[in-house]
mmCIF file with all atom_site columns, all heavy atoms in Angstrom:
data_model
loop_
_atom_site.group_PDB
_atom_site.id
_atom_site.type_symbol
_atom_site.label_atom_id
_atom_site.label_alt_id
_atom_site.label_comp_id
_atom_site.label_asym_id
_atom_site.label_entity_id
_atom_site.label_seq_id
_atom_site.pdbx_PDB_ins_code
_atom_site.Cartn_x
_atom_site.Cartn_y
_atom_site.Cartn_z
_atom_site.occupancy
_atom_site.B_iso_or_equiv
_atom_site.pdbx_formal_charge
_atom_site.auth_seq_id
_atom_site.auth_comp_id
_atom_site.auth_asym_id
_atom_site.auth_atom_id
_atom_site.pdbx_PDB_model_num
ATOM 1   N N   . GLY A 1 205 ? -117.822 78.345 164.560 1.00 97.00 ? 1105 GLY A N   1
ATOM 2   C CA  . GLY A 1 205 ? -116.409 77.966 164.888 1.00 97.00 ? 1105 GLY A CA  1
ATOM 3   C C   . GLY A 1 205 ? -116.085 77.954 166.326 1.00 97.00 ? 1105 GLY A C   1
ATOM 4   O O   . GLY A 1 205 ? -114.864 78.058 166.659 1.00 97.00 ? 1105 GLY A O   1
ATOM 5   N N   . THR A 1 206 ? -117.004 77.791 167.150 1.00 97.00 ? 1106 THR A N   1
ATOM 6   C CA  . THR A 1 206 ? -116.825 77.687 168.621 1.00 97.00 ? 1106 THR A CA  1
ATOM 7   C C   . THR A 1 206 ? -116.301 76.400 168.994 1.00 97.00 ? 1106 THR A C   1
ATOM 8   O O   . THR A 1 206 ? -116.322 75.382 168.269 1.00 97.00 ? 1106 THR A O   1
ATOM 9   C CB  . THR A 1 206 ? -118.038 78.108 169.512 1.00 97.00 ? 1106 THR A CB  1
ATOM 10  O OG1 . THR A 1 206 ? -119.074 77.273 169.012 1.00 97.00 ? 1106 THR A OG1 1
ATOM 11  C CG2 . THR A 1 206 ? -118.446 79.520 169.277 1.00 97.00 ? 1106 THR A CG2 1
ATOM 12  N N   . ASN A 1 207 ? -115.750 76.334 170.226 1.00 98.00 ? 1107 ASN A N   1
ATOM 13  C CA  . ASN A 1 207 ? -115.236 75.110 170.904 1.00 98.00 ? 1107 ASN A CA  1
ATOM 14  C C   . ASN A 1 207 ? -114.212 74.498 170.025 1.00 98.00 ? 1107 ASN A C   1
ATOM 15  O O   . ASN A 1 207 ? -114.161 73.286 169.864 1.00 98.00 ? 1107 ASN A O   1
ATOM 16  C CB  . ASN A 1 207 ? -116.390 74.205 171.181 1.00 98.00 ? 1107 ASN A CB  1
ATOM 17  C CG  . ASN A 1 207 ? -117.509 74.755 172.032 1.00 98.00 ? 1107 ASN A CG  1
ATOM 18  O OD1 . ASN A 1 207 ? -117.155 75.764 172.826 1.00 98.00 ? 1107 ASN A OD1 1
ATOM 19  N ND2 . ASN A 1 207 ? -118.802 74.256 171.969 1.00 98.00 ? 1107 ASN A ND2 1
ATOM 20  N N   . ALA A 1 208 ? -113.260 75.282 169.568 1.00 98.00 ? 1108 ALA A N   1
ATOM 21  C CA  . ALA A 1 208 ? -112.146 74.751 168.713 1.00 98.00 ? 1108 ALA A CA  1
ATOM 22  C C   . ALA A 1 208 ? -110.871 75.596 169.081 1.00 98.00 ? 1108 ALA A C   1
ATOM 23  O O   . ALA A 1 208 ? -110.881 76.767 169.635 1.00 98.00 ? 1108 ALA A O   1
ATOM 24  C CB  . ALA A 1 208 ? -112.482 74.921 167.321 1.00 98.00 ? 1108 ALA A CB  1
ATOM 25  N N   . VAL A 1 209 ? -109.711 75.095 168.679 1.00 98.00 ? 1109 VAL A N   1
ATOM 26  C CA  . VAL A 1 209 ? -108.457 75.664 168.752 1.00 98.00 ? 1109 VAL A CA  1
ATOM 27  C C   . VAL A 1 209 ? -108.013 76.267 167.434 1.00 98.00 ? 1109 VAL A C   1
ATOM 28  O O   . VAL A 1 209 ? -108.131 75.477 166.395 1.00 98.00 ? 1109 VAL A O   1
ATOM 29  C CB  . VAL A 1 209 ? -107.345 74.669 169.382 1.00 98.00 ? 1109 VAL A CB  1
ATOM 30  C CG1 . VAL A 1 209 ? -106.051 75.300 169.399 1.00 98.00 ? 1109 VAL A CG1 1
ATOM 31  C CG2 . VAL A 1 209 ? -107.810 74.177 170.743 1.00 98.00 ? 1109 VAL A CG2 1
ATOM 32  N N   . TYR A 1 210 ? -107.464 77.396 167.387 1.00 98.00 ? 1110 TYR A N   1
ATOM 33  C CA  . TYR A 1 210 ? -106.951 78.034 166.141 1.00 98.00 ? 1110 TYR A CA  1
ATOM 34  C C   . TYR A 1 210 ? -105.611 78.509 166.373 1.00 98.00 ? 1110 TYR A C   1
ATOM 35  O O   . TYR A 1 210 ? -105.150 78.870 167.460 1.00 98.00 ? 1110 TYR A O   1
ATOM 36  C CB  . TYR A 1 210 ? -107.850 79.134 165.758 1.00 98.00 ? 1110 TYR A CB  1
ATOM 37  C CG  . TYR A 1 210 ? -109.262 78.754 165.463 1.00 98.00 ? 1110 TYR A CG  1
ATOM 38  C CD1 . TYR A 1 210 ? -110.293 78.825 166.498 1.00 98.00 ? 1110 TYR A CD1 1
ATOM 39  C CD2 . TYR A 1 210 ? -109.637 78.213 164.203 1.00 98.00 ? 1110 TYR A CD2 1
ATOM 40  C CE1 . TYR A 1 210 ? -111.594 78.386 166.255 1.00 98.00 ? 1110 TYR A CE1 1
ATOM 41  C CE2 . TYR A 1 210 ? -110.949 77.771 164.020 1.00 98.00 ? 1110 TYR A CE2 1
ATOM 42  C CZ  . TYR A 1 210 ? -111.948 77.909 165.002 1.00 98.00 ? 1110 TYR A CZ  1
ATOM 43  O OH  . TYR A 1 210 ? -113.165 77.559 164.734 1.00 98.00 ? 1110 TYR A OH  1
ATOM 44  N N   . HIS A 1 211 ? -104.809 78.663 165.211 1.00 98.00 ? 1111 HIS A N   1
ATOM 45  C CA  . HIS A 1 211 ? -103.513 79.350 165.287 1.00 98.00 ? 1111 HIS A CA  1
ATOM 46  C C   . HIS A 1 211 ? -103.691 80.630 164.485 1.00 98.00 ? 1111 HIS A C   1
ATOM 47  O O   . HIS A 1 211 ? -104.419 80.691 163.418 1.00 98.00 ? 1111 HIS A O   1
ATOM 48  C CB  . HIS A 1 211 ? -102.459 78.497 164.604 1.00 98.00 ? 1111 HIS A CB  1
ATOM 49  C CG  . HIS A 1 211 ? -102.122 77.278 165.382 1.00 98.00 ? 1111 HIS A CG  1
ATOM 50  N ND1 . HIS A 1 211 ? -101.326 76.185 164.894 1.00 98.00 ? 1111 HIS A ND1 1
ATOM 51  C CD2 . HIS A 1 211 ? -102.373 76.869 166.678 1.00 98.00 ? 1111 HIS A CD2 1
ATOM 52  C CE1 . HIS A 1 211 ? -101.189 75.278 165.777 1.00 98.00 ? 1111 HIS A CE1 1
ATOM 53  N NE2 . HIS A 1 211 ? -101.837 75.644 166.867 1.00 98.00 ? 1111 HIS A NE2 1
ATOM 54  N N   . PHE A 1 212 ? -103.051 81.716 165.022 1.00 98.00 ? 1112 PHE A N   1
ATOM 55  C CA  . PHE A 1 212 ? -103.019 83.080 164.285 1.00 98.00 ? 1112 PHE A CA  1
ATOM 56  C C   . PHE A 1 212 ? -101.745 83.664 164.597 1.00 98.00 ? 1112 PHE A C   1
ATOM 57  O O   . PHE A 1 212 ? -101.378 84.035 165.674 1.00 98.00 ? 1112 PHE A O   1
ATOM 58  C CB  . PHE A 1 212 ? -104.155 83.879 164.792 1.00 98.00 ? 1112 PHE A CB  1
ATOM 59  C CG  . PHE A 1 212 ? -104.177 85.254 163.997 1.00 98.00 ? 1112 PHE A CG  1
ATOM 60  C CD1 . PHE A 1 212 ? -104.729 85.282 162.817 1.00 98.00 ? 1112 PHE A CD1 1
ATOM 61  C CD2 . PHE A 1 212 ? -103.491 86.321 164.448 1.00 98.00 ? 1112 PHE A CD2 1
ATOM 62  C CE1 . PHE A 1 212 ? -104.761 86.462 161.968 1.00 98.00 ? 1112 PHE A CE1 1
ATOM 63  C CE2 . PHE A 1 212 ? -103.379 87.494 163.709 1.00 98.00 ? 1112 PHE A CE2 1
ATOM 64  C CZ  . PHE A 1 212 ? -104.065 87.573 162.494 1.00 98.00 ? 1112 PHE A CZ  1
ATOM 65  N N   . ALA A 1 213 ? -100.849 83.686 163.532 1.00 98.00 ? 1113 ALA A N   1
ATOM 66  C CA  . ALA A 1 213 ? -99.578  84.292 163.665 1.00 98.00 ? 1113 ALA A CA  1
ATOM 67  C C   . ALA A 1 213 ? -99.217  84.967 162.297 1.00 98.00 ? 1113 ALA A C   1
ATOM 68  O O   . ALA A 1 213 ? -99.808  84.710 161.274 1.00 98.00 ? 1113 ALA A O   1
ATOM 69  C CB  . ALA A 1 213 ? -98.478  83.226 164.009 1.00 98.00 ? 1113 ALA A CB  1
ATOM 70  N N   . GLY A 1 214 ? -98.261  85.823 162.438 1.00 98.00 ? 1114 GLY A N   1
ATOM 71  C CA  . GLY A 1 214 ? -97.849  86.560 161.148 1.00 98.00 ? 1114 GLY A CA  1
ATOM 72  C C   . GLY A 1 214 ? -97.488  85.604 159.984 1.00 98.00 ? 1114 GLY A C   1
ATOM 73  O O   . GLY A 1 214 ? -96.958  84.439 160.193 1.00 98.00 ? 1114 GLY A O   1
ATOM 74  N N   . THR A 1 215 ? -97.888  85.926 158.831 1.00 98.00 ? 1115 THR A N   1
ATOM 75  C CA  . THR A 1 215 ? -97.662  85.156 157.654 1.00 98.00 ? 1115 THR A CA  1
ATOM 76  C C   . THR A 1 215 ? -96.141  85.146 157.233 1.00 98.00 ? 1115 THR A C   1
ATOM 77  O O   . THR A 1 215 ? -95.480  86.218 157.092 1.00 98.00 ? 1115 THR A O   1
ATOM 78  C CB  . THR A 1 215 ? -98.512  85.684 156.468 1.00 98.00 ? 1115 THR A CB  1
ATOM 79  O OG1 . THR A 1 215 ? -99.830  85.591 156.837 1.00 98.00 ? 1115 THR A OG1 1
ATOM 80  C CG2 . THR A 1 215 ? -98.259  84.833 155.200 1.00 98.00 ? 1115 THR A CG2 1
ATOM 81  N N   . GLY A 1 216 ? -95.511  83.982 157.183 1.00 98.00 ? 1116 GLY A N   1
ATOM 82  C CA  . GLY A 1 216 ? -94.121  83.746 156.925 1.00 98.00 ? 1116 GLY A CA  1
ATOM 83  C C   . GLY A 1 216 ? -93.420  83.584 158.230 1.00 98.00 ? 1116 GLY A C   1
ATOM 84  O O   . GLY A 1 216 ? -93.853  83.929 159.288 1.00 98.00 ? 1116 GLY A O   1
ATOM 85  N N   . SER A 1 217 ? -92.270  83.026 158.137 1.00 98.00 ? 1117 SER A N   1
ATOM 86  C CA  . SER A 1 217 ? -91.433  82.764 159.323 1.00 98.00 ? 1117 SER A CA  1
ATOM 87  C C   . SER A 1 217 ? -90.022  83.237 159.156 1.00 98.00 ? 1117 SER A C   1
ATOM 88  O O   . SER A 1 217 ? -89.561  83.515 158.072 1.00 98.00 ? 1117 SER A O   1
ATOM 89  C CB  . SER A 1 217 ? -91.490  81.211 159.609 1.00 98.00 ? 1117 SER A CB  1
ATOM 90  O OG  . SER A 1 217 ? -90.873  80.474 158.573 1.00 98.00 ? 1117 SER A OG  1
ATOM 91  N N   . THR A 1 218 ? -89.339  83.309 160.305 1.00 98.00 ? 1118 THR A N   1
ATOM 92  C CA  . THR A 1 218 ? -87.849  83.690 160.307 1.00 98.00 ? 1118 THR A CA  1
ATOM 93  C C   . THR A 1 218 ? -87.228  83.194 161.580 1.00 98.00 ? 1118 THR A C   1
ATOM 94  O O   . THR A 1 218 ? -87.834  82.540 162.415 1.00 98.00 ? 1118 THR A O   1
ATOM 95  C CB  . THR A 1 218 ? -87.752  85.190 160.125 1.00 98.00 ? 1118 THR A CB  1
ATOM 96  O OG1 . THR A 1 218 ? -86.454  85.605 159.973 1.00 98.00 ? 1118 THR A OG1 1
ATOM 97  C CG2 . THR A 1 218 ? -88.342  85.939 161.374 1.00 98.00 ? 1118 THR A CG2 1
ATOM 98  N N   . ASN A 1 219 ? -86.037  83.483 161.737 1.00 98.00 ? 1119 ASN A N   1
ATOM 99  C CA  . ASN A 1 219 ? -85.331  83.280 163.005 1.00 98.00 ? 1119 ASN A CA  1
ATOM 100 C C   . ASN A 1 219 ? -85.099  84.618 163.706 1.00 98.00 ? 1119 ASN A C   1
ATOM 101 O O   . ASN A 1 219 ? -85.217  85.697 163.159 1.00 98.00 ? 1119 ASN A O   1
ATOM 102 C CB  . ASN A 1 219 ? -84.020  82.488 162.870 1.00 98.00 ? 1119 ASN A CB  1
ATOM 103 C CG  . ASN A 1 219 ? -82.986  83.156 161.998 1.00 98.00 ? 1119 ASN A CG  1
ATOM 104 O OD1 . ASN A 1 219 ? -82.565  84.247 162.348 1.00 98.00 ? 1119 ASN A OD1 1
ATOM 105 N ND2 . ASN A 1 219 ? -82.640  82.552 160.844 1.00 98.00 ? 1119 ASN A ND2 1
ATOM 106 N N   . TRP A 1 220 ? -84.695  84.483 165.029 1.00 98.00 ? 1120 TRP A N   1
ATOM 107 C CA  . TRP A 1 220 ? -84.461  85.719 165.772 1.00 98.00 ? 1120 TRP A CA  1
ATOM 108 C C   . TRP A 1 220 ? -83.436  86.699 165.204 1.00 98.00 ? 1120 TRP A C   1
ATOM 109 O O   . TRP A 1 220 ? -83.599  87.879 165.208 1.00 98.00 ? 1120 TRP A O   1
ATOM 110 C CB  . TRP A 1 220 ? -84.192  85.380 167.272 1.00 98.00 ? 1120 TRP A CB  1
ATOM 111 C CG  . TRP A 1 220 ? -85.382  84.818 168.028 1.00 98.00 ? 1120 TRP A CG  1
ATOM 112 C CD1 . TRP A 1 220 ? -85.411  83.624 168.521 1.00 98.00 ? 1120 TRP A CD1 1
ATOM 113 C CD2 . TRP A 1 220 ? -86.557  85.564 168.443 1.00 98.00 ? 1120 TRP A CD2 1
ATOM 114 N NE1 . TRP A 1 220 ? -86.662  83.389 169.153 1.00 98.00 ? 1120 TRP A NE1 1
ATOM 115 C CE2 . TRP A 1 220 ? -87.331  84.622 169.160 1.00 98.00 ? 1120 TRP A CE2 1
ATOM 116 C CE3 . TRP A 1 220 ? -86.950  86.824 168.285 1.00 98.00 ? 1120 TRP A CE3 1
ATOM 117 C CZ2 . TRP A 1 220 ? -88.558  85.062 169.750 1.00 98.00 ? 1120 TRP A CZ2 1
ATOM 118 C CZ3 . TRP A 1 220 ? -88.191  87.174 168.762 1.00 98.00 ? 1120 TRP A CZ3 1
ATOM 119 C CH2 . TRP A 1 220 ? -88.948  86.254 169.497 1.00 98.00 ? 1120 TRP A CH2 1
ATOM 120 N N   . ALA A 1 221 ? -82.429  86.115 164.749 1.00 98.00 ? 1121 ALA A N   1
ATOM 121 C CA  . ALA A 1 221 ? -81.272  86.964 164.181 1.00 98.00 ? 1121 ALA A CA  1
ATOM 122 C C   . ALA A 1 221 ? -81.825  87.736 162.884 1.00 98.00 ? 1121 ALA A C   1
ATOM 123 O O   . ALA A 1 221 ? -81.506  88.930 162.793 1.00 98.00 ? 1121 ALA A O   1
ATOM 124 C CB  . ALA A 1 221 ? -80.015  86.151 163.931 1.00 98.00 ? 1121 ALA A CB  1
ATOM 125 N N   . ASP A 1 222 ? -82.447  87.002 161.983 1.00 98.00 ? 1122 ASP A N   1
ATOM 126 C CA  . ASP A 1 222 ? -82.947  87.648 160.909 1.00 98.00 ? 1122 ASP A CA  1
ATOM 127 C C   . ASP A 1 222 ? -84.077  88.681 161.170 1.00 98.00 ? 1122 ASP A C   1
ATOM 128 O O   . ASP A 1 222 ? -84.304  89.673 160.444 1.00 98.00 ? 1122 ASP A O   1
ATOM 129 C CB  . ASP A 1 222 ? -83.360  86.585 159.775 1.00 98.00 ? 1122 ASP A CB  1
ATOM 130 C CG  . ASP A 1 222 ? -82.227  85.914 159.108 1.00 98.00 ? 1122 ASP A CG  1
ATOM 131 O OD1 . ASP A 1 222 ? -81.103  86.574 159.116 1.00 98.00 ? 1122 ASP A OD1 1
ATOM 132 O OD2 . ASP A 1 222 ? -82.443  84.872 158.545 1.00 98.00 ? 1122 ASP A OD2 1
ATOM 133 N N   . PHE A 1 223 ? -84.918  88.308 162.212 1.00 98.00 ? 1123 PHE A N   1
ATOM 134 C CA  . PHE A 1 223 ? -85.884  89.210 162.581 1.00 98.00 ? 1123 PHE A CA  1
ATOM 135 C C   . PHE A 1 223 ? -85.207  90.523 163.050 1.00 98.00 ? 1123 PHE A C   1
ATOM 136 O O   . PHE A 1 223 ? -85.737  91.624 162.732 1.00 98.00 ? 1123 PHE A O   1
ATOM 137 C CB  . PHE A 1 223 ? -86.669  88.579 163.765 1.00 98.00 ? 1123 PHE A CB  1
ATOM 138 C CG  . PHE A 1 223 ? -87.922  89.279 164.168 1.00 98.00 ? 1123 PHE A CG  1
ATOM 139 C CD1 . PHE A 1 223 ? -88.464  90.326 163.533 1.00 98.00 ? 1123 PHE A CD1 1
ATOM 140 C CD2 . PHE A 1 223 ? -88.418  89.049 165.444 1.00 98.00 ? 1123 PHE A CD2 1
ATOM 141 C CE1 . PHE A 1 223 ? -89.612  91.108 163.994 1.00 98.00 ? 1123 PHE A CE1 1
ATOM 142 C CE2 . PHE A 1 223 ? -89.550  89.726 165.995 1.00 98.00 ? 1123 PHE A CE2 1
ATOM 143 C CZ  . PHE A 1 223 ? -90.148  90.685 165.246 1.00 98.00 ? 1123 PHE A CZ  1
ATOM 144 N N   . ALA A 1 224 ? -84.140  90.394 163.919 1.00 98.00 ? 1124 ALA A N   1
ATOM 145 C CA  . ALA A 1 224 ? -83.528  91.657 164.352 1.00 98.00 ? 1124 ALA A CA  1
ATOM 146 C C   . ALA A 1 224 ? -82.896  92.416 163.113 1.00 98.00 ? 1124 ALA A C   1
ATOM 147 O O   . ALA A 1 224 ? -82.995  93.645 163.125 1.00 98.00 ? 1124 ALA A O   1
ATOM 148 C CB  . ALA A 1 224 ? -82.291  91.208 165.218 1.00 98.00 ? 1124 ALA A CB  1
#
Side-chain angles (χ1 to χ4, degrees):
T1106 53
N1107 303 337
V1109 177
Y1110 300 94
H1111 293 168
F1112 182 84
T1115 298
S1117 63
T1118 189
N1119 61 61
W1120 288 112
D1122 284 342
F1123 186 18

